[in-house]
Amino acid sequence: MAHAAPFTAPAAEIEESWIDYNGHLNMAYYNVLFDRCADHVFETVGLTEQYVKDRGLSFYVAEVHVCYLRELHLGARVTATFQLVDCDEKRLHAYSELIHQDGWVAATSEALYLHIDASGPKVAPIPEPMASKVAAMCAAHAALPHPERVGRRIKINKKCNCSPRHAS
């Protein structure tokens, strides 16, 4: 199976109920758009609602880091991309971008997904044939440049006297 590199989800339009009191897309809905993209990706490797029901297995998000770069407003059309940066037998490390219809990046998301056996719940190996499909996607995405925003951390780049940890 050939995998698009990166995977691009179908376009979506910013909905009125997603707009906050500042007049732009509420931060939570950036995550909704990234999550919908991931759902499309997971369908391509076999993670469907039926898979979850039949096997009791699924992917859960363990960690996510979103960078909000530009505001989105009502009616804007966006697409989300998904790049599998790394994977092993139980985990996926992904990078996504939310791209405005005019071509600029509105936000980025870095996420760690765990394959979960819900009977535990506990982390579990990804079974075949899904494991082979994930490995093929990871190989296809390995040809992409490493995203600059992957591996970022939240910090203030200066010392301040605002917390006891920084006091002299």
Side-chain angles (χ1 to χ4, degrees):
M1 165 187 244
H3 290 282
F7 178 92
T8 302
E13 188 170 318
I14 304 304
E15 300 177 17
E16 186 172 2
S17 63
W18 297 357
I19 302 300
D20 65 18
Y21 53 81
N22 293 310
H24 56 78
L25 186 63
N26 178 277
M27 64 179 273
Y29 293 99
Y30 285 84
N31 287 296
V32 167
L33 292 162
F34 286 127
D35 192 50
R36 287 180 179 176
C37 178
D39 286 345
H40 286 291
V41 170
F42 291 144
E43 284 179 18
T44 70
V45 298
L47 178 69
T48 62
E49 187 176 345
Q50 196 61 50
Y51 171 85
V52 174
K53 286 180 182 177
D54 291 348
R55 307 281 302 264
L57 303 170
S58 187
F59 282 102
Y60 288 12
V61 175
E63 184 174 347
V64 68
H65 184 165
V66 177
C67 293
Y68 304 94
L69 306 175
R70 290 185 63 181
E71 294 178 1
L72 290 170
H73 297 94
L74 180 62
R77 290 189 60 75
V78 295
T79 54
T81 64
F82 183 101
Q83 178 179 346
L84 199 50
V85 177
D86 198 4
C87 66
D88 65 17
E89 67 280 353
K90 298 177 183 180
R91 301 172 296 182
L92 308 178
H93 179 189
Y95 171 79
S96 296
E97 293 182 340
L98 197 57
I99 303 169
H100 186 272
Q101 63 199 10
D102 292 338
W104 44 267
V105 177
T108 64
S109 176
E110 181 179 7
L112 178 66
Y113 297 89
L114 304 178
H115 189 259
I116 300 292
D117 178 341
S119 70
K122 62 185 177 206
V123 180
I126 303 166
E128 289 298 342
M130 186 185 295
S132 293
K133 292 176 183 178
V134 167
M137 180 181 286
C138 201
H141 290 192
L144 294 169
H146 188 76
E148 180 181 319
R149 290 189 173 273
V150 167
R152 293 171 52 101
R153 65 186 182 120
I154 297 172
K155 65 179 180 173
I156 297 175
N157 288 324
K158 61 181 176 105
K159 288 190 175 187
C160 68
N161 294 325
C162 55
S163 74
R165 204 167 53 125
H166 295 287
S168 322

